[in-house]
Amino acid sequence: MRVPLSWLREYVDLPAGETGRDVAAKLVDAGLEVETVEQLGGGLKGPLVVGQVLTIEELEGFRKPIRFCTVDVGSANGTGEPQEIVCGARNFAVGDKVVVVLPGAVLPGDFAIAARKTYGRTSHGMICSGDELGMGDDGTHGIIVLPHEHEVGTDAIELLQLVDEVLDIDITPDRGYCMSMRGVAREAATAYGLPLRDPALLDVPQPNSYGYPVKVDDPAGCDRFTARTVTGLDPDARSPIWLTRRLQKAGMRPISLAVDITNYVMLELGQPLHAYDRSSIDGTIGVRRAEQGEKFTTLDGVKRTLDAEDLVITDNSGPIGLAGVMGGANTEIADSVTDPETGQVTGTTDVVIEAAHFDSVSISRTARRLKLSSEASKRFERGVDPQAAAAAAQRTVDLLVLLAGGTAEADVTEVLAPGAPRTIAMPADHPDRVAGMEYGRETVVRRLQEIGCDVYGQDELVVTVPSWRPDLAAPNDLAEEVIRLEGYGNLPSTLPQVPSGRGLTARQQLHRRVGRALAGAGYVEALSYPFIGEGVFDQLQLPAHDIARQVVKLVNPISDEEPALRTTLLPGLLGALRRNDSRGSHDLALFETGSVFRAAAQPGVAVRLPVDRRPTDEEIANLNAALPAQPRYAAVVLAGAREQAGWWGKGRPADWADAVQAARALAVEAGTELVVRQGQYGPWHPGRCAELVVTLRGVEQVIGHAGELHPRVVKAMGLPARTSAMEIDLDRLAAAGGEALQAPRISSFPVATQDVALIVDASVPASSVEAALRKGAGELLESLRLFDVFTGEQVGEGKKSLAYALRFRAADRTLTAEESTAARDAAVALAGERTGAVLRGA
């Protein structure tokens, strides 16, 4: 919301010396987010005056049309003679009043004006456009043509209100009333302790039975509809300068007088309005829900397909407006047209003004679904004062009569749904307990009255909430109002007493060790948003029944394309890898640790916890029971080179083995043994996928997968070729590791090394051979490492050779050659029995 300081002063008598920054500081203390204070006309220096074009000479022989003009600027140039100016614009004619900047002036941007020779003539100044004066877009992108009533030589800086300060305020969703000058003025008046001149306090005629007919079929979606009629408008009437300048300063483009007035009143009172061309309305105006698939063309000329939840304004011909969002093209105010032969101006002369109050949720859903955010929808979805509708309609009527020469018809239509003021019961000391400091009943009542509440009672207050504050719904909301107006900076800073000696939990320690281990292995941590769209599961080729497809959806997601909480870390990580690869970083190794969210079989309903006391254990337990399960996962993704080439060697690309090794490194940090065996799941290549297994409470459990992604997944997600990934459940990995890490035992006795090469069928997993060797070798085996895999004619077709290095050591003695050989033979024998392995060369 852009708030011109000159406009704000109309409603609050701010101290004369207060600057925009001073006002911004006060509003920030009151809880508003003032992002910037813009200085309009900074560095602007005259003479800048009104001139009248006397002659125009078209200059020939140039690439673009050039005109040599003489302009009457009165005595502003010191001589009274016509000013000679070269100009390339075409939107003005002889006799028009224009804005002229004379030599010696300085325009915004430190642009000094001097006489200069151009196109063979000397130009003594400029005829100005709105952009050159920093006025913003006026819709013409050309020279400013002023109404004829302004006298030649008048100071244009004051006339066009070029010097001002504008506060740019970021309005949060709960402060919708501040999307108006009325709302910001109320906050300024409260912050300065000054009275407010409420622009909504107008004399409004009572509704009568002969008003324009209106029928509301959905009172839940539209609980108030006011209609007023103005006839006899001058179609050639133009918006005065003060009106267009206020719109421009507020960030809106002037369009036509009737539309400008509705926009002006919306900015002033916060009530969106719409003006219909009365001659285009066919019969009774209605409010109903759209029919599924119904077609409607909005003001922007786009034909839209409506949903059954959309609220529409209708007449006998069908929809004429998308309620609270945008009007229809078939009833818009017609542009004025001048007949070239008679000079007669035609256009809209009779209008019907709509000032209605619509359901915020309905408007928000419609605007989001159609991706059609408008100034009206932004206000309705944050909450509009329903009591301001009649005043806004009256203000619009008054301006149309004043500026367009119209006549206000006596008919007044107002359709109301039954309703009552909202009241909240609150202990008088509730803000004290929330803030942790004593305000006292008198301060609490005074502050609540300042925001428009009616307060009754002593120890137990009954508060009637003002109609413009739909966000006030509970005692905590009222407490927040008292605290912010008393000043957040006045709250005492009290640090909680932390018991000593506890430190990090075992879970937190593991997460830190995991991060350090992966970072030490060359991975870079990437943090992604915990939101996904369900279409990503198809890209990952997950089966229809997969548990990862059972998502928790958000009621109000940040993006409609990602409305669910993630059930896997891979989409976010792979998206980060894709973005980095597209920007030229091709050698990538990324990791992330974070929560995933598992939908419960029966979704619970979370309760709102109190803020003035510690929640009870039962309340916390009920809240936790309503939340989805949130296990902690770790994932890595790799692409490009794992080891760079250089003088030290050729380097090598990242592959599935690196992803598996990352999982092994995490198992080491958790103090558990990870079994890696061939698997097949979702996004991984079926021949290059390993499932990660631990033994938990005596039962083997698959807690993750690692390997190379399937080519179809790589193509669907736009990833580099041969991308590899690993994802593992950290919580179950930690549970398999026990409470504490066991330090390795260091023996003073020497190690005995035995190498074996075993030939097995190509289909036998190396993990099965390894498990058999470990089991057969017994307690003397210290470590086992696969150091070579060989296939070829020497081992036979359909066979492979696996070479292992076995390290034996005893805790109490030096092993003899016979002991280590016996242990090796036992290991080979069990491997042969379980997997059919045969010693190579035997």
Side-chain angles (χ1 to χ4, degrees):
M1 176 71 187
R2 289 173 56 84
V3 179
L5 193 59
S6 60
W7 194 355
L8 185 64
R9 290 182 182 275
E10 283 199 5
Y11 313 118
V12 185
D13 290 326
L14 298 173
E18 289 292 276
T19 66
R21 294 191 180 277
D22 296 331
V23 177
K26 286 282 191 179
L27 294 178
V28 169
D29 288 341
L32 292 181
E33 298 181 16
V34 182
E35 294 192 332
T36 60
V37 178
E38 183 179 350
Q39 302 288 332
L40 299 184
L44 178 63
K45 177 184 174 183
L48 186 73
V49 298
V50 175
Q52 185 171 23
V53 180
L54 300 177
T55 64
I56 297 176
E57 177 187 350
E58 300 288 347
L59 301 182
E60 305 292 340
F62 300 102
R63 293 184 179 179
K64 61 180 182 179
I66 299 296
R67 311 167 98 185
F68 181 69
C69 311
T70 58
V71 185
D72 179 10
V73 295
S75 60
N77 58 3
T79 65
E81 296 295 324
Q83 199 78 1
E84 296 179 339
I85 298 174
V86 175
C87 183
R90 314 290 297 176
N91 67 313
F92 65 96
V94 172
D96 282 344
K97 298 286 182 67
V98 294
V99 178
V100 179
V101 57
L102 301 176
V106 179
L107 294 183
D110 198 25
F111 181 40
I113 302 300
R116 65 190 184 97
K117 191 169 183 178
T118 179
Y119 297 102
R121 303 292 178 96
T122 300
S123 181
H124 299 273
M126 290 173 52
I127 301 175
C128 297
S129 67
D131 289 337
E132 290 164 341
L133 298 179
M135 294 173 56
D137 182 16
D138 63 357
T140 65
H141 299 290
I143 292 303
I144 301 170
V145 178
L146 299 172
H148 285 281
E149 62 265 22
H150 297 294
E151 293 184 7
V152 169
T154 302
D155 183 3
I157 295 178
E158 182 177 352
L159 175 67
L160 299 177
Q161 305 170 23
L162 297 179
V163 179
D164 202 349
E165 293 181 278
V166 178
L167 283 64
D168 193 351
I169 304 176
D170 183 15
I171 307 299
T172 53
D174 61 331
R175 307 289 286 278
Y177 67 98
C178 284
M179 293 194 74
S180 66
M181 295 300 303
R182 180 194 185 202
V184 176
R186 178 174 282 107
E187 290 296 316
T190 303
Y192 280 94
L194 297 172
L196 169 72
R197 289 188 290 274
D198 191 345
L201 296 180
L202 300 174
D203 291 331
V204 179
Q206 293 297 314
N208 48 56
S209 58
Y210 48 88
Y212 197 94
V214 174
K215 180 182 179 183
V216 177
D217 293 330
D218 191 337
C222 176
D223 58 4
R224 181 182 294 263
F225 195 107
T226 300
R228 299 289 299 276
T229 304
V230 181
T231 60
L233 301 179
D234 179 5
D236 197 32
R238 296 290 181 266
S239 299
I241 292 175
W242 66 265
L243 177 58
T244 60
R245 287 299 292 133
R246 286 190 170 178
L247 291 177
Q248 288 173 326
K249 291 177 184 179
M252 301 189 75
R253 180 171 63 87
I255 298 174
S256 64
L257 179 57
V259 176
D260 291 348
I261 288 174
T262 58
N263 285 336
Y264 176 83
V265 175
M266 177 185 68
L267 291 172
E268 184 179 50
L269 302 181
Q271 168 68 52
L273 302 111
H274 191 71
Y276 299 95
D277 187 332
R278 184 176 181 179
S279 64
S280 302
I281 302 177
D282 182 11
T284 301
I285 293 177
V287 183
R288 61 169 172 82
R289 296 289 174 176
E291 299 175 4
Q292 187 65 39
E294 192 171 12
K295 305 293 184 181
F296 172 63
T297 303
T298 46
L299 279 173
D300 55 4
V302 178
K303 191 172 186 179
R304 305 182 187 275
T305 302
L306 304 182
D307 187 84
E309 286 191 352
D310 297 334
L311 201 63
V312 293
I313 312 298
T314 66
D315 63 4
N316 293 340
S317 65
I320 60 173
L322 197 55
V325 181
M326 187 174 287
N330 53 341
T331 57
E332 69 175 316
I333 303 298
D335 294 332
S336 60
V337 178
T338 303
D339 190 310
E341 296 182 359
T342 65
Q344 183 178 1
V345 179
T346 59
T348 298
T349 57
D350 301 338
V351 297
V352 176
I353 305 300
E354 166 207 308
H357 184 259
F358 302 111
D359 175 59
S360 59
V361 174
S362 175
I363 302 306
S364 177
R365 287 176 176 171
T366 296
R368 284 171 178 257
R369 188 183 60 80
L370 295 176
K371 295 180 175 58
L372 188 61
S373 179
S374 65
E375 292 292 334
S377 68
K378 290 176 186 176
R379 287 165 172 78
F380 276 121
E381 64 190 16
R382 287 167 171 80
V384 169
D385 181 6
Q387 301 293 336
Q394 182 62 46
R395 178 74 165 135
T396 305
V397 169
D398 292 344
L399 288 174
L400 285 172
V401 171
L402 175 67
L403 302 177
T407 301
E409 296 292 305
D411 54 314
V412 178
T413 302
E414 194 165 67
V415 180
L416 300 176
R422 291 176 295 115
T423 59
I424 302 172
M426 179 186 73
D429 63 346
H430 183 70
D432 299 2
R433 289 185 282 121
V434 172
M437 64 182 297
E438 185 175 349
Y439 293 119
R441 179 189 178 279
E442 181 180 346
T443 298
V444 170
V445 171
R446 175 172 55 84
R447 288 303 190 183
L448 293 179
Q449 288 175 339
E450 285 177 354
I451 66 171
C453 296
D454 292 329
V455 186
Y456 305 95
Q458 293 299 319
D459 294 338
E460 188 74 19
L461 303 180
V462 178
V463 182
T464 302
V465 176
S467 58
W468 59 83
R469 293 300 301 271
D471 58 303
L472 302 181
N476 291 333
D477 300 327
L478 300 178
E480 181 184 0
E481 292 299 300
V482 174
I483 295 169
R484 77 174 178 87
L485 293 177
E486 283 295 304
Y488 291 120
N490 296 325
L491 292 176
S493 298
T494 305
L495 293 176
Q497 295 297 321
V498 180
S500 61
R502 293 191 177 181
L504 300 176
T505 65
R507 188 171 188 253
Q508 292 169 332
Q509 291 174 353
L510 174 62
H511 296 161
R512 289 198 176 184
R513 291 199 306 272
V514 163
R516 285 196 296 266
L518 291 174
Y523 291 87
V524 176
E525 186 171 16
L527 301 179
S528 57
Y529 285 112
F531 311 115
I532 57 173
E534 294 183 82
V536 75
F537 299 129
D538 296 328
Q539 294 179 328
L540 294 176
Q541 299 192 51
L542 297 184
H545 61 276
D546 196 283
I547 188 174
R549 287 183 176 268
Q550 300 174 17
V551 297
V552 178
K553 291 188 176 181
L554 301 176
V555 175
N556 188 23
I558 294 177
S559 169
D560 291 337
E561 296 179 355
E562 295 180 331
L565 293 172
R566 67 187 178 191
T567 55
T568 168
L569 300 181
L570 290 181
L573 264 184
L574 292 173
L577 184 139
R578 180 180 61 248
R579 285 191 296 273
N580 280 274
D581 180 73
S582 68
R583 287 161 174 78
S585 297
H586 304 303
D587 303 325
L588 298 162
L590 308 178
F591 84 92
E592 181 176 9
T593 61
S595 297
V596 299
F597 304 86
R598 302 294 188 191
Q602 296 293 332
V605 178
V607 296
R608 179 175 294 184
L609 297 180
V611 297
D612 59 335
R613 60 174 174 82
R614 183 190 184 280
T616 65
D617 293 341
E618 183 180 359
E619 288 172 332
I620 295 175
N622 290 337
L623 177 63
N624 288 333
L627 298 176
Q630 302 174 45
R632 188 90 171 181
Y633 273 45
V636 305
V637 293
L638 305 99
R642 184 64 174 140
E643 295 178 3
Q644 295 291 336
W647 57 264
W648 53 84
K650 295 183 179 179
R652 67 175 184 85
D655 61 15
W656 62 270
D658 294 302
V660 173
Q661 183 56 35
R664 292 186 187 276
L666 301 192
V668 170
E669 296 299 328
T672 187
E673 184 175 350
L674 190 68
V675 177
V676 179
R677 62 193 183 200
Q678 188 173 2
Q680 183 172 344
Y681 177 69
W684 282 277
H685 192 296
R688 298 167 190 160
C689 174
E691 60 182 20
L692 312 174
V693 182
V694 296
T695 301
L696 194 57
R697 292 182 290 274
V699 179
E700 284 192 348
Q701 293 189 19
V702 178
I703 63 169
H705 293 83
E708 183 180 314
L709 296 182
H710 197 288
R712 284 200 291 268
V713 174
V714 169
K715 181 178 179 181
M717 302 191 74
L719 302 172
R722 310 302 290 269
T723 297
S724 299
M726 180 278 293
E727 186 173 39
I728 194 169
D729 186 333
L730 276 185
D731 287 347
R732 286 197 286 171
L733 182 67
E739 291 295 327
L741 288 175
Q742 295 296 322
R745 179 176 55 83
I746 301 175
S747 174
S748 59
F749 296 97
V751 66
T753 302
Q754 296 274 1
D755 293 346
V756 295
L758 303 176
I759 297 176
V760 296
D761 289 339
S763 61
V764 176
S767 60
S768 299
V769 178
E770 181 178 330
L773 290 173
R774 287 184 182 278
K775 182 70 174 178
E779 296 181 354
L780 294 178
L781 182 67
E782 182 180 82
S783 67
L784 173 68
R785 180 174 62 90
L786 175 66
F787 66 86
D788 184 58
V789 179
F790 176 76
T791 57
E793 295 180 359
Q794 294 90 331
V795 297
E797 185 177 355
K799 301 288 185 178
K800 63 183 176 182
S801 171
L802 305 176
Y804 291 91
L806 290 78
R807 291 167 57 92
F808 299 97
R809 195 191 316 252
D812 56 350
R813 67 188 188 281
T814 299
L815 291 178
T816 64
E818 290 77 10
E819 287 177 307
S820 62
T821 301
R824 181 203 65 182
D825 292 343
V828 172
L830 187 60
E833 179 183 332
R834 290 188 174 181
T835 66
V838 178
L839 271 174
R840 185 174 178 182

